Amino acid sequence: MINKLVDKIKKTNAPVVVGLDPMMSYIPEHITKKAFDEFGETLEGAAEAIWQYNKGIIDNTYDLIPAVKPQIAMYEQFGVPGLVAFDKTVKYAKEKDLVVIGDVKRGDIGSTSAAYATGHLGKVQVGSKKYSLFDEDFATVNPYLGTDGIKPFIDVCKEENKGLFILVKTSNPSSGEFQDRLIDGRPLYEWVGEKVAKWGEEHMGNDYSYIGAVVGATYPEMGKVLRKVMPKSYILVPGYGAQGGTADGLKPYFNEDGLGAIVNSSRGIICAYKQDKYAKFGSLNYADASRQAVIDMIEDINSIF
Amino acid sequence: MINKLVDKIKKTNAPVVVGLDPMMSYIPEHITKKAFDEFGETLEGAAEAIWQYNKGIIDNTYDLIPAVKPQIAMYEQFGVPGLVAFDKTVKYAKEKDLVVIGDVKRGDIGSTSAAYATGHLGKVQVGSKKYSLFDEDFATVNPYLGTDGIKPFIDVCKEENKGLFILVKTSNPSSGEFQDRLIDGRPLYEWVGEKVAKWGEEHMGNDYSYIGAVVGATYPEMGKVLRKVMPKSYILVPGYGAQGGTADGLKPYFNEDGLGAIVNSSRGIICAYKQDKYAKFGSLNYADASRQAVIDMIEDINSIF
């Protein structure tokens, strides 16, 4: 799957992933109204609105980009109906041949991580049958529990030809509270990055490992160090745009081959029609605004090379 | 909710939580067969078996214990139907007046943590209506992202009178890889513990904070230190029994008032009928075996006082 991701990045010339993190306040009124007319102001109504909103964005951007990254929390907050919308979104994006990164940030002790890995990347046994579940191509994972919380994910990735992005240095303002603390003179995120590189050796693709890392766009100096610590790990870079990361700051996340990083934008793309810059599209054409925002983002990022 | 938990612990004299972490291999054949007869070897069939299995255990133990802790990964691995079984289990346990600790180990950047907090502890707005979702009483949370990943959970807890258990020192063998590393001479878990104590001041119950911690039974020396670092935080202690933690080792987790800790057992209770000690019950009476195992666990833990 890392090979597919790299191929698609080369083909689209777009080291870009669109974060499908829908909030009700982002969804144009015509979509919400139609969903509520059909299902009422219910969780099912909200889930239908989310799904239709996502579908519009996927339909209008899938030919430009290699991957999407649905953030499961935005669906989980609508309970079971929300997770049905997550499931539909993942499956639809895969039908459009997009690589799907499930932003689930799971992580637990061994047997429990194994269950999460099954649910998100693997197949579950029921009697004599096997079923795929959410079936993302990649999942994000939290490293706080150490190797035996990560290993079961890697095992499933090997079986299923899938991959991970492990949190190393997150994009949020307080990420330094623990991640930046010095251990034997080096910050925790570097120690985590070293482990990611080591875990990655276990499951290599052609040029890059199936085991990647998350490093926020908001910390380019740290990105520079981590790029060297994990030369074979793809870096998923959140925090561009709405969170304050700039294209200039992205250069250190890439290797000299122009590969090695994929930059996420969520709000900046899916809610583009609410920005002054794209207001001319209007809410009815929100997905066209998203398409233009993707085009502009690709150009912005390619300007650094 | 922390007050309710403490009251129930006093009333039952049982600082014990039963981990509802069902695996298909734990479920007695008569339950699986009935579920498969009705739904086939499908995800719905697996979910029905899990739900019936849980219901039997709850029905046979709810009068003895203050709380249950369903581990969501064990449900999530069956996709959406599995999460329906999780939802039913939480609601049923609450009907039986049990405190429900959702072992979800979520944690993300601010807006995303807010969505997780809504989904697990809060209410979501849909048009003019509000809905409760999974609606656990407590949730477990991962601290790797620092304060702004935790704060949105605390905000929802304040609104909803609910609580958290934040991972500090986990029970698994490799938990020390990052958690034990020394920062200015003290291990990371102590720094996290200090933050938990500080976060806890923001949301105090009568004697204890709504914001507790997870510290594994497998590290009693560290439990002793952490008890002092977080005097007002309830400690959720996994790792007793199957993972190797013993009653003797549990003493340091409690305060002198005999409170301050609640010990989890999952496999040791829900799969008791497979142990030699409880084999006489047979698989048909698996829930009676679980009841006896709870009685024995309470006696074992109370022996330390």
Side-chain angles (χ1 to χ4, degrees), chain A residues 1-17 64-67 97 99 101 138 165 208 234-236 254 257-263 298 301-302 305:
Chain A
M1 202 42 78
I2 188 66
N3 299 335
K4 179 174 176 181
L5 182 63
V6 173
D7 284 349
K8 286 198 66 113
I9 289 172
K10 285 181 185 164
K11 219 170 277 172
T12 54
N13 199 25
V16 159
V17 52
L64 300 174
I65 55 173
D97 202 37
V99 172
I101 302 169
F138 287 84
F165 290 101
Y208 285 93
Y234 241 79
I235 300 180
L236 170 63
F254 289 88
D257 57 5
L259 296 169
I262 183 162
V263 182
I298 294 170
I301 289 176
N302 282 324
F305 298 115

Side-chain angles (χ1 to χ4, degrees), chain A residues 41 76 120 128 131 148 172, chain B residues 41 76 120 128 131 148 172:
Chain A
E41 288 183 345
E76 210 165 306
H120 289 282
S128 61
Y131 294 93
D148 52 39
N172 56 313
Chain B
E41 287 182 345
E76 210 165 306
H120 289 282
S128 61
Y131 294 93
D148 54 38
N172 56 311

Side-chain angles (χ1 to χ4, degrees), chain A residues 144-166:
Chain A
Y144 189 67
L145 288 89
T147 298
D148 52 39
I150 299 291
K151 197 61 175 42
F153 280 98
I154 297 179
D155 292 343
V156 171
C157 284
K158 281 182 176 171
E159 262 170 51
E160 303 284 342
N161 191 31
K162 295 194 171 179
L164 303 177
F165 290 101
I166 297 171

Side-chain angles (χ1 to χ4, degrees), chain B residues 197-246:
Chain B
K198 205 166 153 254
W199 291 326
E201 288 168 10
E202 280 185 46
H203 190 24
M204 279 297 298
N206 293 341
D207 297 310
Y208 285 93
S209 171
Y210 283 76
I211 311 305
V214 175
V215 184
T218 38
Y219 301 102
E221 283 305 312
M222 300 176 188
K224 196 172 171 179
V225 173
L226 287 166
R227 179 67 287 167
K228 283 185 191 125
V229 169
M230 315 172 291
K232 295 290 183 193
S233 297
Y234 241 80
I235 300 180
L236 171 64
V237 190
Y240 167 86
Q243 283 182 55
T246 63

